[in-house]
Amino acid sequence: MFFRKNSHGVITVFISLMLVSVLSLGTLVVEVARYQSAKTQLAEANISASTSMVANYDVDLYKRYGLLAVKSSDIDEAKAMDYLNYNSDLASNAFGNNISRQYSISSIDVKGMYNLTYPSVLKRQILSRAKYSVVVQDYALNRYNADQLLSQFQTECNYVTDALYTVGNGSGANDGDVSDDVKKALENMSKAFDGIQTADTQNNVVISDNSFSILPSQTGVVETQTPEEDLDLINDAKNSVSSLIGTDASTLFSQGTSFSQTDVNVGTATVGSIASAINGGMFNDSLQMNSSKNAAMCVAQANKMNAAINTLKADQDGTLLLNSYITDFFSSRNRTVKGYVGPGKGSGFTGENGNFASACVEYIFGGSKNEMTNQDTAFKYLMAVRLIDNLYLILNTSKSFNPNSTTSAWAHIMWAYYESFADVQLMARYNCAVPFSKTQLIFDINSPASVASAFSTYNFVTAMEALGIYSSGEYSVPGANKFSYLDYMSFSLWFVANSTKLSRVSDLIQLEMRYNQQYVNNTAATFLMSDMDTYCRIKVNAKLNSVLPVISSNQGGSIQNVRFSSTKYSGF
């Protein structure tokens, strides 16, 4: 009896003691579940927040160029916090509380990244736009015939190299085996072409210094705006541009002094700067020329073009898409499809943004503030392309060519030069399509007397009429694979480094967007490519909010050291 009396309530005490442990363990299990739920909820809220951030992309930039990017100033912590709170409350049905019931945000770090001034980023944006359009098929060189035409051009390069090799290496004989008719024809062509300006001298627009100094190609990229931990990834992406055309994309056929002129070894061929050959006095209108030197320069030029095509074939589709996009979007300022009608040719606009009225694609070749300078540079590329084809046809069909004679080589190179000059004149000035691979010369070197007679008045138009190229108000050059001026622009872009192309595309986009702001929307011209990011990164640190006080350090507070984070990337 005594035992029973003293043991009254033992079971209750025992069960109570056991329940303390069970409740503690149960509470811990609940909190662990809430912790996992909170992490998932924060991740989902962060995805929504980062997506909402990049949803505020520049609509005008997208409509006119197909590029998706967000202004850097629109990627800020205040907006990110608003989006996070809203999405957190939405998930926990805590509208109006401005805080999730499961966690509280202790810090937030928001960064805009992958800026449009990075060549690799801009290239990917352009290709994502171009691959869904049929623009590339609108050009004479396209996906269906690229292999054929590029291989054909390389065959011509190899033929020119072999045909001029003897004279080019200085072992040709200096004999005078050129007929008087050939000399007379060359003399008359020289006089007819003397003083002719292929460039559009009526539209010599110059970009103002204020605008030129802020262009991306002048200011460089904006790596300082990128999180340090992401630099390696971005540098890897940038290096993909170099992989297209050798160890250093910037050195291939570069213009000006923006990049070094270091040669790039591609197999057995050395790819150097084509600018030195084209701009270094390769041709002039004088009949007094160093035959061996110019033959050697023709050989070098053919080798460089051949090597460039070989190397770029690794990304043939990408190059075609990029070149056609550039030509299509920057060939004219009067295209209403771009969202507005810009000033037409001859407008002479010289305002703050230095509007290029007629030489946008040409800027890619020259990168100059002066519109006419860019045209002249672009025409030298056209001349180089046409020279290879014309030399191939002339050397392959001429009855008078002697591969061992410097005089013969000189006469045939000069003949090809005037033929090429006529080609560029016809396509650029008279909107005539010139065959990519001619089957018949405009100036038949096997009938030099007729050519000399046609140019007897030293007048280009009269000569074209006499040779049957001009009829019924139109110019027509016989042959297959007709290339227009823009077709040749697109093809010539093959010989401009992708890094150079993309930097100058950034320039043109910025000029156009600023022009649109100032003169179409009548607002301040504030658009900068360096302000446009394609990705947003939101890194959030949060603390778990406790519900059961039994395991909390403070009732209603947070469990000590139970913290978690979420990092999300959203973009285009």
Side-chain angles (χ1 to χ4, degrees), residues 70-82:
V70 184
K71 192 173 182 179
S72 302
S73 60
D74 288 338
I75 302 177
D76 60 35
E77 294 182 1
K79 287 185 178 181
M81 187 61 109
D82 287 343

Side-chain angles (χ1 to χ4, degrees), residues 44-60:
E44 291 177 351
N46 201 4
I47 290 174
S48 297
S50 57
T51 303
S52 299
M53 193 75 74
V54 297
N56 189 29
Y57 61 86
D58 190 303
V59 176
D60 193 34

Side-chain angles (χ1 to χ4, degrees), residues 541-554:
N541 294 311
K543 297 186 296 185
L544 181 68
N545 288 341
S546 174
V547 172
L548 301 175
V550 67
I551 63 169
S552 299
S553 57
N554 295 297

Side-chain angles (χ1 to χ4, degrees), residues 232-490:
D232 289 340
L233 294 174
I234 293 178
N235 286 330
D236 289 342
K238 288 177 62 181
N239 290 336
S240 67
V241 179
S242 299
S243 67
L244 298 183
I245 51 179
T247 55
D248 185 356
S250 66
T251 63
L252 182 63
F253 298 160
S254 58
Q255 288 286 343
T257 57
S258 299
F259 302 103
S260 70
Q261 298 293 324
T262 305
D263 286 346
V264 180
N265 291 321
V266 183
T268 59
T270 298
V271 181
S273 171
I274 199 173
S276 61
I278 299 177
N279 299 334
M282 183 172 185
F283 298 111
N284 57 57
D285 288 333
S286 170
L287 296 184
Q288 304 300 320
M289 297 180 62
N290 185 322
S291 305
S292 296
K293 176 182 177 182
N294 286 283
M297 295 181 80
C298 286
V299 170
Q301 180 172 289
N303 279 332
K304 291 170 183 176
M305 287 183 162
N306 192 352
I309 290 176
N310 263 335
T311 313
L312 280 170
K313 275 187 174 179
D315 185 40
Q316 182 170 296
D317 280 352
T319 302
L320 287 171
L321 288 171
L322 182 60
N323 291 352
S324 61
Y325 174 95
I326 292 173
T327 308
D328 189 65
F329 275 79
F330 303 108
S331 60
S332 172
R333 297 197 53 105
N334 300 333
R335 309 244 344 235
T336 55
V337 71
K338 301 302 181 291
Y340 74 96
V341 180
K345 204 171 184 179
S347 63
F349 171 76
T350 56
E352 197 273 335
N353 294 303
N355 174 42
F356 274 14
S358 63
C360 290
V361 174
E362 293 83 354
Y363 176 80
I364 305 297
F365 295 91
S368 170
K369 294 188 292 185
N370 189 299
E371 183 176 39
M372 193 165 69
T373 299
N374 292 323
Q375 288 190 35
D376 285 335
T377 303
F379 293 157
K380 288 171 183 174
Y381 276 84
L382 265 65
M383 281 287 294
V385 172
R386 289 305 315 141
L387 179 70
I388 296 298
D389 180 56
N390 287 324
L391 268 174
Y392 172 78
L393 186 58
I394 288 172
L395 300 179
N396 201 31
T397 61
S398 173
K399 298 175 182 178
S400 60
F401 175 59
N402 181 351
N404 298 309
S405 167
T406 56
T407 306
S408 177
W410 156 79
H412 286 77
I413 290 172
M414 282 302 300
W415 198 283
Y417 168 71
Y418 290 131
E419 180 86 10
S420 302
F421 190 96
D423 288 344
V424 176
Q425 182 81 352
L426 287 170
M427 72 176 75
R429 197 175 187 88
Y430 299 103
N431 199 30
C432 174
V434 176
F436 184 66
S437 299
K438 286 182 180 176
T439 56
Q440 177 182 333
L441 292 167
I442 298 175
F443 313 141
D444 187 0
I445 197 169
N446 294 315
S447 301
S450 62
V451 177
S453 175
F455 279 97
S456 59
T457 61
Y458 314 136
N459 183 279
F460 179 79
V461 176
T462 302
M464 295 299 102
E465 291 176 345
L467 294 169
I469 302 301
Y470 181 79
S471 177
S472 303
E474 292 184 352
Y475 291 87
S476 178
V477 180
N481 297 320
K482 295 293 185 72
F483 271 42
S484 67
Y485 173 75
L486 292 183
D487 287 324
Y488 278 108
M489 284 283 100
S490 180

